[in-house]
Amino acid sequence: MSTDTDILIAGAGPTGLVLAIDLARRGIPHRIVDRSERGFPGSRGTGIQPRTLELFDDLGVLDAIMAGSGPVPAIQSWIGAERAESWKLAESADDSPAIPYPDTRMLPQWRTVEILCARLEELGGHVDFSTELTGFTQDPDGVTGTLRHADGTEETVRAQWLVAADGGRSEVRRTLGVPFTGEQIDPRPVLIADVLLEGPDRAEIDGGHWHMWQQAEDGLVALRPLEQVETVQVIAGFGDTGRDLDLDLDATPEAIGRLVSARTGLRLTVSEVRWASAYRARMAMAERFRSGRVLLAGDAAHVHSPAGGQGLNTSVQDAYNLGWKLEAVLRRGAPDALLDSYDAERTQIAAEVLGLSTRVHQADLGADGGGRWRRGKETHQLTLGYREGPLSRELRRDVAEDALRAGDRAPDAPCRDASGAPVRLFDVFRGPHFTLLDLTEGATALPELPGWIRTFRPLDADGHAKAAYGSGLFLVRPDGYVGLATDDARDVEAYVAMVAEA
Ligand SMILES: Cc1cc2nc3c(=O)[nH]c(=O)nc-3n(C[C@H](O)[C@H](O)[C@H](O)COP(=O)(O)OP(=O)(O)OC[C@H]3O[C@@H](n4cnc5c(N)ncnc54)[C@H](O)[C@@H]3O)c2cc1C
């Protein structure tokens, strides 16, 4: 059997799903396959950063994410069965109309995946589960992939582009031979599990806190009731034995129950283990994210320490960077070099974020394994941007040192539209189009623009838009970054030639 599509996406984790949603709303034919039977079952990546909430707003899943998630709990440290200190773990972003979602939210990854799957279906797409990409070849015109279905049958798919969203152990990356270099941050294995916790002291493990025994003799244990479900996430560190944890032995309800009661001193038992996994914290990054017609995204391109909640967030932002570029190349005759900008922009961000997550991991450890966990504003991903990237054009004169520049995240601002109705800039940006934001002082004659660029001149009586952007013309990319900032409307045409047929 053989089928054709524009984009083949291997892997329906958060990365693949965000890309599929973006392509579905753009009407780009795609195929998304995952070798698992259904979506990811574990809590794993729970921290959703403010920048990711903005992406979710654009993709139409924000309400579901907000409704299902909770705030970042405070840390409750314990010494044996006694509560010790409690402190706020996560800092909020500055209180500003430019930042509509100032706080990190917590949501088990399986639920995020479920919400994304539902949105994809709402847009007419779906994931082919139990379908594995087992191999591929590429040539100058496209990629030929081999899929294996659960019943053993094989299918050949011909696509223009293959996006590898197949996770940290990416087979696609291995097949390409792209070096994946980095280092182990901590040789000690960590067990993570979602369990049903019971026992006389169960009520002590309240949902308002992340309960932590950092000084427990055999290694750290942390317990966190998950949002709106009965399960509790257990994280347990082990000594550097050099062996991998054997989940068959170490992740039984009895084994985890013994560990929890021994390390906490509380009367707790585990009646069920819903999901368990083990990892060693490492950081690594692919040497390049593009190899001809194959693009690496998410964990397939970079893996982080879980500390600081950066992995899933960086991953979905890869997909968001890629979706509009694929459409531009496929549908608008944009030069192929536009896809090189994916590599240039995202490798730089991945390197930056890997540095951050590694620093957070080391700070968590502290000198004696018991550092005071803190998550500062730098983890929100709001200040990441592409100033030095190949698609950023800052053409205004005399821009103040601390002002917004081309390449920066395009901030929100409450304002009014031409009819005087209240609107947020994020309402105007929402959707797959570019927006030319006109914040020039006088009436500026704008060139005739293609339909995929919308123009907007806000009524900005309260000055929020000007305060966030300054004055000028700002071409905002579909992924919410300022591509061009200029005083001269003629510059827009030159920019358009970079992202569409000249
Ligand atoms: C303990 C832990 C805690 C974490 N906490 C956070 C956090 O708080 N915040 C955060 O941002 N991140 C966190 N992360 C990281 C986060 O889980 C990952 O970054 C995220 O899952 C990456 O998503 P992905 O879609 O790229 O890859 P994955 O989620 O790994 O998805 C890859 C998918 O590809 C499928 N697949 C693989 N090979 C094939 C194939 N050949 N054919 C078809 N399908 C295939 C798999 O079945 C899988 O569904 C944490 C990670 C760990 C381990």
Side-chain angles (χ1 to χ4, degrees), residues 276-324:
S277 178
Y279 66 92
R280 286 187 165 84
R282 65 179 182 134
M283 54 101 95
M285 177 175 151
E287 192 176 86
R288 56 183 182 279
F289 292 2
R290 177 181 180 190
S291 297
R293 288 189 164 263
V294 184
L295 300 134
L296 302 178
D299 273 20
H302 42 77
V303 290
H304 303 252
S305 154
Q310 299 297 300
L312 180 150
N313 292 276
T314 312
S315 295
V316 297
Q317 296 290 346
D318 287 345
Y320 199 38
N321 183 289
L322 191 53
W324 68 268

Side-chain angles (χ1 to χ4, degrees), residues 9-17 33-36 38-40 43-49 106 109 113 129 131-134 165-168 170-172 190 192 233 235 275 277 279 297-300 302 304-316:
I9 304 169
T15 308
L17 286 166
V33 300
D34 198 290
R35 67 178 170 200
S36 69
R38 48 182 202 91
F40 180 70
S43 60
R44 212 161 85 166
T46 48
I48 300 183
Q49 302 299 346
M106 302 292 273
Q109 184 165 330
V113 164
F129 284 112
T131 305
E132 180 174 10
L133 178 77
T134 54
D166 54 343
S170 171
E171 268 307 314
V172 174
V190 176
I192 176 167
Q233 185 192 61
I235 297 178
W275 169 80
S277 178
Y279 66 92
D299 273 20
H302 42 77
H304 303 252
S305 154
Q310 299 297 300
L312 180 150
N313 292 276
T314 312
S315 295
V316 297

Side-chain angles (χ1 to χ4, degrees), residues 150-419:
D151 62 3
T153 54
E154 292 211 330
E155 178 188 349
T156 303
V157 177
R158 180 74 183 159
Q160 306 242 15
W161 303 91
L162 168 64
V163 179
D166 54 343
R169 297 199 172 99
S170 171
E171 268 307 314
V172 174
R173 187 186 68 227
R174 282 186 201 169
T175 307
L176 289 168
V178 173
F180 196 58
T181 47
E183 58 192 63
Q184 203 169 64
I185 305 171
D186 195 330
R188 293 170 299 182
V190 176
L191 173 75
I192 176 167
D194 298 344
V195 306
L196 292 185
L197 200 59
E198 286 170 13
D201 291 332
R202 172 65 184 83
E204 295 284 350
I205 309 304
D206 61 283
H209 291 98
W210 196 336
H211 301 266
M212 228 163 259
W213 287 257
Q214 289 178 295
Q215 307 297 354
E217 216 168 277
D218 297 328
L220 167 142
V221 67
L223 302 176
R224 189 169 78 75
L226 293 165
E227 291 67 34
Q228 298 181 25
V229 284
E230 63 217 312
T231 38
V232 173
Q233 185 192 61
V234 180
I235 297 178
F238 290 82
D240 181 13
T241 58
R243 73 167 180 95
D244 283 325
L245 292 180
D246 179 350
L247 290 178
D248 288 340
L249 289 176
D250 300 316
T252 59
E254 298 71 30
I256 298 181
R258 267 197 310 276
L259 177 156
V260 167
S261 61
R263 292 189 189 185
T264 65
L266 296 175
R267 291 164 302 161
L268 295 169
T269 55
V270 168
S271 58
E272 194 181 324
V273 177
R274 293 266 171 94
W275 169 80
S277 178
Y279 66 92
R280 286 187 165 84
R282 65 179 182 134
M283 54 101 95
M285 177 175 151
E287 192 176 86
R288 56 183 182 279
F289 292 2
R290 177 181 180 190
S291 297
R293 288 189 164 263
V294 184
L295 300 134
L296 302 178
D299 273 20
H302 42 77
V303 290
H304 303 252
S305 154
Q310 299 297 300
L312 180 150
N313 292 276
T314 312
S315 295
V316 297
Q317 296 290 346
D318 287 345
Y320 199 38
N321 183 289
L322 191 53
W324 68 268
K325 293 177 181 175
L326 287 169
E327 183 190 19
V329 169
L330 281 163
R331 293 286 178 274
R332 294 204 282 270
D336 176 81
L338 185 59
L339 289 175
D340 290 334
S341 77
Y342 166 72
D343 179 272
E345 291 183 338
R346 294 309 296 173
T347 50
Q348 176 242 318
I349 295 286
E352 214 175 302
V353 178
L354 278 172
L356 170 68
S357 49
T358 305
R359 282 194 303 280
V360 174
H361 187 106
Q362 274 147 1
D364 281 356
L365 288 178
D368 58 356
R372 202 175 169 93
W373 287 28
R374 286 207 186 285
R375 303 292 178 259
K377 289 177 191 158
E378 67 282 5
T379 60
H380 294 165
Q381 303 207 339
L382 292 168
T383 52
L384 297 176
Y386 307 123
R387 278 191 190 189
E388 313 302 329
L391 297 182
S392 301
R393 297 281 180 279
E394 177 53 69
L395 303 177
R396 292 169 300 165
R397 282 177 300 277
D398 306 327
V399 183
E401 203 45 50
D402 59 350
L404 168 139
R405 283 164 183 269
D408 290 353
R409 159 188 170 270
D412 196 9
C415 49
R416 287 177 188 274
D417 65 16
S419 72

